[in-house]
Amino acid sequence: MSLSAFATIPPNIPGCPVPFSLHIPHHEIHTLTTLVHHARIAVPSFYNTNADPVTGTFGVSADWLASAQQTWTTSFSWRDTETYHNSFPNFRINVTVPSDGQVFDLHFAALFSKNESAIPITFLHGWPGSWLEFAGVLELLAEKYTPETLPYHVVVPSIPDYGLSTRSEELTKELTMEGASEALNALMVALGFDAYVVQGGDVGSFLSQTMCGLFDECKAFHLNMLFLTPEQTAAVANISLTPEEEERLEVVKAWAETGAAYAIEHATRPSTVSLVLNTNPLGMLAWMGEKFIEWSDNRNSQPLSLDTILSMVSFYWFTDSYSRALWAYRALIKVIGGPLPPMPMSKTKPFGFSAFPVEIATVTRSWAEYLFPNLVFYGPQEKGGHFAALQEPEAFLEDIEKFLAIVGPSVVSSKKR
């Protein structure tokens, strides 16, 4: 089934989404290629010759970066990525948030159903990802269903200030987690969804918690990343763990001990780091590519291809969004080496969690069952990492469909229209 078949917007909705097609001018692509070609890679040193991004030792290596430079300037095609991007139904829509009147120009991809009982769900990405993390999931849904049988309305936005989503006051007003969540809730309402489900990882996990905690329209939430507060960690300290659970928590411990430096920089010096990285795309690739490699499951899953990583970094470069995308680290600065800021996470609305083995913040089944009385689904996965939807779309979608089978009837019955 062609993806374009799912582009029919639900009738009589409050908002006015406009179909959108991405096209980067040729001269911008040429500039990117020229900058990459002429970029200087540091001379060999102990650190860059012994670096291993898979294990997190020192970061990316000079050899990896030199190989990526060669690929980026010779065989990588942005036009192929652009064509793939445009093969999905893409839209833009303006929403105004009631709290302060900010206008958000939001981009989103979507698969709309013609099924009157379809469950609206929105998938929320984070850094250094984009909405393209969920492209494989959308393809699987289009293969499995027709517009008449699709059980869901699937909305995948570029979250506020990321990628193609911008706002009227981005130069004068710092974005907050609450403000971004309000904009995303306004997006779903503008599409006519007075009852919906939210799913998120990375920054999207915090947005999902906030949306379900603050807005009545959000009826249930599913996460694949979760930071526990110190109080929650203390509460589960005496709960025994299996060897497998202890191994998975080692990933969390390693991130906290050696992997959080980038987040501290993002949170405390967002201007400096974004100005530095925007001087040359190869520098941006080193900074972001390290995370795509280290946070992926490189043991059990197929590693992310270099083309995939280059597509993600190119998307940030061409949308000039890196400097806009650091607001979440400012909002969550206390989580970096300190207590998690209070999150309005609902303890009553249905909650689902998928636990992928290579995740920088996770929760075991026994912990989840103890801490969250509203837990209705827990999916332990054998493969996959932080970019679960990107690396393991089949397993990711299977969990989402199981969760929606549990919460869907109540979401449908609570619709106002």
Side-chain angles (χ1 to χ4, degrees), residues 18 22 32 35-36 48 60 71 74 80 94 100 106 166 206 242 264 271 309 348 374 390:
V18 177
L22 177 64
L32 169 66
L35 287 170
V36 173
N48 67 36
V60 296
T71 299
T74 57
D80 287 348
N94 282 348
D100 62 4
L106 297 178
T166 60
F206 296 102
T242 67
I264 297 172
S271 177
I309 297 172
T348 57
N374 53 332
L390 182 62

Side-chain angles (χ1 to χ4, degrees), residues 191-380:
L191 294 176
F193 305 136
D194 296 316
Y196 66 87
V197 178
V198 64
Q199 195 289 325
D202 197 84
V203 177
S205 72
F206 296 102
L207 288 167
S208 298
Q209 294 174 62
T210 304
M211 290 168 71
C212 212
L214 295 183
F215 304 108
D216 183 62
E217 292 88 353
C218 187
K219 303 299 182 182
F221 63 114
H222 178 280
L223 310 176
N224 57 281
M225 186 192 84
L226 179 62
F227 280 92
L228 297 181
T229 65
E231 293 76 15
Q232 289 171 329
T233 301
V236 298
N238 295 322
I239 296 178
S240 60
L241 300 171
T242 67
E244 181 183 39
E245 288 175 334
E246 290 180 345
E247 182 180 350
R248 294 186 176 199
L249 290 175
E250 284 298 316
V251 177
V252 179
K253 182 180 178 183
W255 181 86
E257 292 179 348
T258 65
Y262 81 97
I264 297 172
E265 184 71 17
H266 281 187
T268 60
R269 297 294 185 271
S271 177
T272 301
V273 68
S274 61
L275 287 170
V276 168
L277 296 182
N278 274 289
T279 62
N280 195 285
L282 198 64
M284 188 177 291
L285 172 63
W287 189 260
M288 297 171 66
E290 173 192 286
K291 304 311 176 191
F292 281 115
I293 299 170
E294 184 181 342
W295 294 351
S296 297
D297 186 351
N298 298 293
R299 307 165 303 174
N300 302 312
S301 299
Q302 181 71 27
L304 295 179
S305 70
L306 179 57
D307 265 22
T308 296
I309 297 172
L310 293 176
S311 292
M312 289 291 188
V313 177
S314 298
F315 186 69
Y316 273 76
W317 182 268
F318 287 132
T319 57
D320 286 322
S321 58
Y322 199 98
S323 58
R324 290 186 274 116
L326 302 187
W327 62 265
Y329 293 90
R330 296 280 301 157
L332 297 167
I333 187 170
K334 292 181 181 178
V335 74
I336 313 300
L340 183 71
M343 301 294 295
M345 182 174 177
S346 174
K347 290 295 185 69
T348 57
K349 295 178 181 179
F351 167 42
F353 189 82
S354 291
F356 290 85
V358 183
E359 179 53 83
I360 64 173
T362 192
V363 59
T364 68
R365 181 192 291 273
S366 57
W367 289 4
E369 291 174 344
Y370 181 83
L371 292 170
F372 306 110
N374 53 332
L375 183 75
V376 299
F377 173 82
Y378 187 91

Side-chain angles (χ1 to χ4, degrees), residues 9 17-18 20 88-93 106-112 131 154-158 164-165 187 191:
I9 299 167
V18 177
F20 170 79
F88 298 88
N90 278 262
F91 303 88
R92 301 193 78 111
I93 187 172
L106 297 178
H107 159 263
F108 66 96
L111 298 183
F112 290 119
W131 80 266
V154 186
V155 179
V156 188
S158 293
L164 295 159
S165 289
L187 165 64
L191 294 176

Side-chain angles (χ1 to χ4, degrees), residues 107-129:
H107 159 263
F108 66 96
L111 298 183
F112 290 119
S113 175
K114 296 180 181 179
N115 181 350
E116 291 186 1
S117 299
I119 305 161
I121 180 170
T122 182
F123 291 99
L124 306 180
H125 67 85
W127 184 92

